[in-house]
């Protein structure tokens, strides 16, 4: 009898099925430095998801291991991803605020047998760099394309484009130009600024000199966008009635208290507003605000992270906790659910998220706080940039 029990226990241990594992998810993002609030929002989204859905999938416990890349730094991102895979034994890589940090890691995925869930980085081409990439954020092609029609329908014929000179900026410029010129407008000048630019006065002068009736712009959200909107106001462009259109990175909720009236009335295109009116968003906002501590700090990277965790939990479920990156990714192709942002799905072909893009206008609530009011919905948008990325 004793022998039988021992043999049975040994068989269970060998088959591995009756054993609970810890599944580690490595999350890379800016957790210190000027973009720390963006990383804090990744963490708030992840914490909110785990607070609402538990920290286990089946028999397995999920553990998050964070690594800090304060500013876009592909070499550091790659080194940390390697360390996470080799030393920490993570089964999933996630996060990635800046495009270059995501791009640097895609070549590692196949050999490591690890899927990557991009929770922010927004250059279309990232998903084409490895079949193991899934993205739950947005692309600047998605968020910029509807703005071309919005500006054109306002009667504007001449626009100037100003973007940060790297992946998502170049995509945004191409998206806006393609849309606006397709409608019959013209983009009279395209300016690409180094990512590190923080004195925008010379740019504002070039905008004035261009003769454009309106500005389209993209910068990665953070001190960058805050500085740009301030300069646009301080250099008299807003007062002169030259509208500024851009993706919602410009008016992230965590910057609205500092921008105040400078942002009032500004129209942006984006996948998510903290003010989105739905039961799913109420649940999310409450949990994410609790996680972040200061309610005014909640911003869009949290929703990319929250939905990223939804996708990772589905992957763990589909693989029964075994490390099989191809099977995990296959399982979420075509997955659809109701996100706090609205209805979404993972496009099976691109592995990028299909979603509504909202036109929003910064408004002032009765209590004096500012918010992104959704005023128009462009439904069920796939990434229009993928054709361009191929
Ligand atoms: C990016 O680097 O892809 C990126 C960063 C911040 C944003 C949008 C895109 O707000």
């Amino acid at each position: 009898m004793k022998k039988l029990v021992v043999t049975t226990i040994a068989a269970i241990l060998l088959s591995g099925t009756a054993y609970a594992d810890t599944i580690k998810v490595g999350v890379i993002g800016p957790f210190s430095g000027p973009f720390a609030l963006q990383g804090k929002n990744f963490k708030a989204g992840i914490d909110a998801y785990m607070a609402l859905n538990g920290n286990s999938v089946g028999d397995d416990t999920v553990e998050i291991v964070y690594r800090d890349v304060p500013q876009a730094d592909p070499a550091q991102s790659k080194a940390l991803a390697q360390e996470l895979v080799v030393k920490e034994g993570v089964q999933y890589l996630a996060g990635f605020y800046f495009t270059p940090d995501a791009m640097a890691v895609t070549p590692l995925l196949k050999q490591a047998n690890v899927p990557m869930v991009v929770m922010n980085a927004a250059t279309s081409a990232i998903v084409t760099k490895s079949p193991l990439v899934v993205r739950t954020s947005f692309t600047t092609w998605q968020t910029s394309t509807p703005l071309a029609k919005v500006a054109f329908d306002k009667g504007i014929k001449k626009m100037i484009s100003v973007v940060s000179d790297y992946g998502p900026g170049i995509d945004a410029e191409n998206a806006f130009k393609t849309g606006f010129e397709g409608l019959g407008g013209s983009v009279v000048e395209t300016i690409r600024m180094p990512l590190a630019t923080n004195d925008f006065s010379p740019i504002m002068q070039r905008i004035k000199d261009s003769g454009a009736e309106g500005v389209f712009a993209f910068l990665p959200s953070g001190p960058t966008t805050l500085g740009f909107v301030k300069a646009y106001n301080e250099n008299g462009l807003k007062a002169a009635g030259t509208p500024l259109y851009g993706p919602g990175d410009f008016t992230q909720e965590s910057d609205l208290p500092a921008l105040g009236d400078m942002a009032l009335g500004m129209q942006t295109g984006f996948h998510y507003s903290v003010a989105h009116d739905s039961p799913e968003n109420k649940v999310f906002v409450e949990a994410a605000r609790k996680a972040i501590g200061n309610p005014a700090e909640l911003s869009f990277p949290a929703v990319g992270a929250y939905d990223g965790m939804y996708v990772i939990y589905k992957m763990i479920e589909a693989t029964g906790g075994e490390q099989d990156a191809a099977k995990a990714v296959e399982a979420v192709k075509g997955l659809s659910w109701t996100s706090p942002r609205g209805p979404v799905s993972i496009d099976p072909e691109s592995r990028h998220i299909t979603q509504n893009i909202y036109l929003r206008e910064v408004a002032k609530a009765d209590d004096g706080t500012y918010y992104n009011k959704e005023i128009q919905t462009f439904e069920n948008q796939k990434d229009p940039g993928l054709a361009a990325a191929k």
Side-chain angles (χ1 to χ4, degrees):
M1 183 64 196
K2 194 173 169 202
K3 192 170 172 231
L4 183 67
V5 172
V6 171
T7 325
T8 312
I9 291 172
I12 289 170
L13 289 179
L14 281 174
S15 76
T17 48
Y19 229 2
D21 280 325
T22 294
I23 297 181
K24 291 188 183 178
V25 179
V27 175
I28 291 177
F31 298 106
S32 69
F35 293 91
L37 191 53
Q38 309 307 102
K40 196 174 175 189
N41 268 280
F42 272 171
K43 187 166 185 304
I46 292 167
D47 286 348
Y49 190 83
M50 295 178 81
L52 293 168
N53 298 280
N55 68 344
S56 59
V57 182
D59 290 336
D60 302 313
T61 304
V62 180
E63 184 189 325
I64 313 292
V65 186
Y66 291 96
R67 288 293 180 269
D68 181 20
V69 180
Q71 310 213 29
D73 185 342
Q76 192 187 10
S77 178
K78 188 175 181 181
L80 289 173
Q82 260 156 345
E83 183 257 336
L84 283 167
V85 167
V86 175
K87 293 216 184 99
E88 288 287 339
V90 301
Q91 279 191 41
Y92 295 88
L93 282 168
F96 303 101
Y97 188 70
F98 290 106
T99 288
D101 300 342
M103 287 287 199
V105 172
T106 56
L108 307 177
L109 304 176
K110 188 164 185 251
Q111 210 204 332
N113 188 23
V114 166
M116 174 198 257
V117 178
V118 176
M119 294 171 164
N120 188 68
T123 303
S124 284
I126 296 170
V127 292
T128 68
K129 300 299 175 193
S130 162
L132 297 177
V133 180
V134 176
R135 177 163 44 198
T136 57
S137 49
F138 58 96
T139 66
T140 49
W141 267 94
Q142 269 181 325
T143 55
S144 303
T145 297
L147 293 170
K149 188 165 160 42
V150 171
F152 190 80
D153 287 350
K154 280 268 154 59
I156 300 171
K157 296 290 168 307
K158 289 196 286 184
M159 290 286 288
I160 182 168
S161 165
V162 183
V163 301
S164 295
D165 189 8
Y166 80 123
I170 293 162
D171 276 7
E173 176 194 294
N174 285 328
F176 187 82
K177 197 169 151 64
T178 303
F180 196 66
E181 298 197 333
L183 290 164
S186 84
V187 175
V188 294
E189 193 176 337
T190 54
I191 300 175
R192 296 180 180 181
M193 309 168 284
L195 194 50
T197 305
N198 53 30
D199 176 9
F200 299 108
S201 293
I203 302 284
M204 297 303 151
Q205 192 54 49
R206 282 178 69 183
I207 293 171
K208 286 182 191 165
D209 294 345
S210 73
E213 298 151 341
V215 187
F216 169 79
F218 166 84
L219 292 90
S221 212
T224 28
T225 41
L226 193 64
F228 191 89
V229 179
K230 277 189 177 160
Y232 163 78
N233 275 267
E234 283 160 6
N235 286 270
L237 280 154
K238 189 180 184 197
T242 309
L244 169 60
Y245 292 100
D249 312 70
F250 268 122
T251 61
Q252 66 165 338
E253 284 77 3
S254 52
D255 285 338
L256 291 179
L259 287 171
D261 280 350
M262 287 192 279
L264 195 62
M266 189 174 167
Q267 292 191 344
T268 59
F270 222 30
H271 60 302
Y272 179 64
S273 163
V274 172
H276 181 70
D277 187 13
S278 74
E280 292 79 11
N281 193 43
K282 278 203 179 65
V283 171
F284 164 74
V285 168
E286 194 190 327
R289 283 197 164 141
K290 204 165 149 194
I292 208 162
N294 176 357
E297 286 183 349
L298 184 62
S299 175
F300 68 94
V303 86
Y306 182 82
D307 286 328
M309 287 311 291
Y310 176 85
V311 164
I312 290 171
Y313 272 40
K314 288 286 175 201
M315 288 173 161
I316 296 172
E317 206 177 287
T319 50
E322 298 299 316
Q323 185 158 1
D324 185 339
K327 189 175 176 185
V329 170
E330 208 49 47
V332 299
K333 288 183 182 173
L335 187 69
S336 66
W337 71 100
T338 307
S339 155
R341 68 188 96 174
V344 298
S345 62
I346 301 296
D347 176 42
E349 200 196 329
S350 66
R351 291 160 277 106
H352 175 71
I353 195 160
T354 301
Q355 58 192 332
N356 294 344
I357 298 296
Y358 305 92
L359 177 68
R360 308 102 40 82
E361 186 170 303
V362 176
K364 200 171 181 175
D366 292 341
D367 66 0
T369 58
Y370 297 84
Y371 67 106
N372 287 297
K373 181 178 182 177
E374 290 171 2
I375 54 175
Q376 196 180 336
T377 304
F378 300 84
E379 280 178 8
N380 215 18
Q381 304 288 301
K382 286 191 183 191
D383 180 18
L386 283 166
K390 274 177 186 158

